[in-house]
């Protein structure tokens, strides 16, 4: 579905750096998926957040590019395979595995918007999810695991987090980098924000307790971020691919 420039909620929000600030939520879930954790631990050529700076930036750029991205996905992920700590084989382009990793970004995008930008209506949740489905289809990976609507996505996501996530040796190795990012945009987060952004399942499996005052401190942080964004110039507020997409086309 082609949308006119400026009408897409996905285009409006996915290139906003406040989405990047919320990424410990997505990555915290990813390192608790046995296959994703193993793939990151065994195949990453750099530290976790340097790796995410490259791969997430590419994924965001694909949201502004309506072409089929199958060739890019094969080049990036085609060689990634192995066995998790229980000996279960995996491949990075397995539809269920690939979709769950992308789903963590979709869920985190929604949390980032509702927390750092403005609460969305039920209608906008549905609309944004439909646009995220279009985004996913550009990757050229089977969409058999993709729920048809926002309610179905929430059920799928809760079920997957409850049933498939666990702390493995690879996840334990990666956890300190998730809980205290030291590079890229997430390094700007105060520790309280990292803790509060974590998905409840991540907090449970990594043993991250609630601390007195965290919720109030996080609310103040989110409010300050919203206020700062109102005066931030585009080069600060948006990533490069979003700035390019927002620029007027030559006549």
């Amino acid at each position: 579905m082609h949308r006119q420039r400026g009408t897409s909620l996905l285009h409006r929000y996915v290139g906003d750096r406040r989405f990047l600030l919320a990424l410990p939520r997505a990555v915290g879930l990813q390192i608790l998926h046995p296959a994703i954790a193993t793939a990151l631990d065994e195949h990453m050529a750099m530290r976790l957040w340097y790796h995410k700076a490259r791969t997430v930036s590419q994924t965001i750029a694909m949201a502004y590019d309506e072409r089929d991205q199958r060739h890019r996905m094969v080049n990036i992920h085609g060689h990634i395979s192995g066995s998790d700590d229980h000996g279960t084989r995996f491949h990075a382009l397995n539809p269920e595995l690939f979709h769950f990793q992308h789903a963590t970004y979709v869920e985190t995008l929604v949390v980032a918007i509702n927390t750092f930008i403005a609460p969305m209506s039920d209608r906008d949740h549905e609309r944004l999810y439909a646009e995220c489905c279009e985004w996913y289809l550009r990757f050229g990976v089977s969409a058999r695991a993709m729920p048809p609507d926002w309610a179905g996505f929430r059920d799928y996501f809760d079920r997957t987090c409850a049933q498939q996530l666990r702390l493995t040796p690879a996840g334990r190795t990666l956890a300190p980098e998730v809980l205290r990012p030291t590079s890229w945009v997430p390094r700007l987060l105060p520790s309280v924000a990292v803790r509060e952004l974590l998905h409840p399942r991540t907090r449970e499996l990594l043993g991250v307790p609630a601390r007195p005052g965290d919720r109030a401190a996080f609310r103040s942080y989110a409010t300050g971020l919203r206020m700062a964004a109102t005066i931030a110039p585009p080069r600060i507020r948006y990533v490069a691919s979003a700035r390019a997409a927002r620029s007027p086309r030559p006549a």
Side-chain angles (χ1 to χ4, degrees):
M1 182 188 304
H2 178 74
R3 299 181 189 274
Q4 292 184 343
R5 183 180 295 268
T7 65
S8 167
L9 291 179
L10 179 64
H11 288 179
R12 184 186 307 171
Y13 294 129
V14 75
D16 191 306
R17 291 184 190 274
R18 286 172 287 184
F19 167 50
L20 304 184
L21 279 174
L23 284 176
R25 184 178 182 92
V27 179
L29 291 166
Q30 291 170 16
I31 68 161
L32 293 170
H33 189 290
I36 297 173
T38 301
L40 288 170
D41 189 44
E42 294 183 355
H43 292 276
M44 266 194 319
M46 56 193 75
R47 292 180 67 85
L48 179 63
W49 287 108
Y50 287 107
H51 170 78
K52 288 299 177 182
R54 183 185 66 183
T55 59
V56 176
S57 294
Q58 291 172 337
T59 301
I60 291 172
M62 290 178 193
Y64 298 97
D65 187 340
E66 296 184 355
R67 294 172 295 178
D68 187 308
Q69 303 289 338
R70 175 70 185 185
H71 64 288
R72 295 186 67 179
M73 292 299 100
V74 172
N75 290 339
I76 295 170
H77 298 286
H79 68 288
I80 300 176
S81 62
S83 300
D84 67 22
D85 61 318
H86 285 179
T88 302
R89 297 286 302 170
F90 67 85
H91 191 284
L93 291 177
N94 171 274
E96 283 74 19
L97 179 60
F98 189 88
H99 179 264
F100 177 72
Q101 178 162 262
H102 189 71
T104 66
Y105 295 130
V106 173
E107 195 265 354
T108 293
L109 175 61
V110 170
V111 169
I113 296 167
N114 285 326
T115 304
F116 293 146
I117 301 176
M120 289 191 294
S121 66
D122 291 344
R123 182 178 179 180
D124 279 348
H125 278 94
E126 201 67 59
R127 176 182 164 194
L128 176 64
Y129 178 69
E131 293 174 11
C132 287
C133 290
E134 296 170 17
W135 180 24
Y136 183 81
L137 292 174
R138 292 174 203 156
F139 299 137
V141 180
S142 169
R144 70 190 186 205
M146 186 173 71
D149 55 29
W150 175 239
F153 176 84
R154 288 187 297 171
D155 289 343
Y156 151 82
F157 201 79
D158 290 345
R159 183 174 63 253
T160 303
C161 289
Q163 297 178 358
Q164 295 189 23
L165 303 190
R166 57 185 173 83
L167 182 58
T168 64
R172 188 174 289 109
T173 297
L174 295 165
E177 292 188 75
V178 173
L179 298 177
R180 185 58 275 166
T182 57
S183 61
W184 201 31
V185 176
R187 80 184 188 282
L188 302 174
L189 283 168
S191 295
V192 63
V194 175
R195 291 193 298 272
E196 286 295 301
L197 282 167
L198 295 178
H199 189 278
R201 184 67 168 144
T202 305
R203 296 183 71 127
E204 174 191 354
L205 292 174
L206 294 185
V208 179
R211 299 186 184 183
D214 271 7
R215 186 164 296 181
F218 183 61
R219 282 199 300 267
S220 295
Y221 174 77
T223 298
L225 202 59
R226 287 193 294 271
M227 294 175 62
T230 63
I231 60 173
R235 65 182 176 81
I236 298 296
R237 184 171 171 181
Y238 298 102
V239 301
S241 55
R243 294 199 303 272
R246 292 169 63 89
S247 298
R249 291 175 176 170

